[in-house]
Amino acid sequence: MTKAPFVAMSAVTAVLGTALGALALQLRANGYEQYVESVATFSVLMYVTAALVVVTWVRDGRPRSN
């Protein structure tokens, strides 16, 4: 497979994780503590997803042995 879909998907998910992390900090600063944990958890989940996409890309690029 080409690397363009993997790179795009990984970049978009990492940007989403960054935006959600910033939102979590803003929520904490504005006193919405009840939402901070959920948003922060989802932010970490986006970073993990981005890392797994990169792992999939690396594994897909390896030569296959039959």
Side-chain angles (χ1 to χ4, degrees), residues 24-43:
L25 292 174
Q26 189 65 35
L27 287 172
R28 178 166 294 178
N30 290 340
Y32 293 102
E33 289 290 329
Q34 67 268 26
Y35 302 113
V36 171
E37 184 178 353
S38 298
V39 174
T41 300
F42 196 63
S43 173

Side-chain angles (χ1 to χ4, degrees), residues 11-23 39-40 42-47 50:
V12 167
T13 12
V15 167
L16 180 59
T18 303
L20 288 169
L23 176 63
V39 174
F42 196 63
S43 173
V44 170
L45 181 64
M46 290 298 101
Y47 282 122

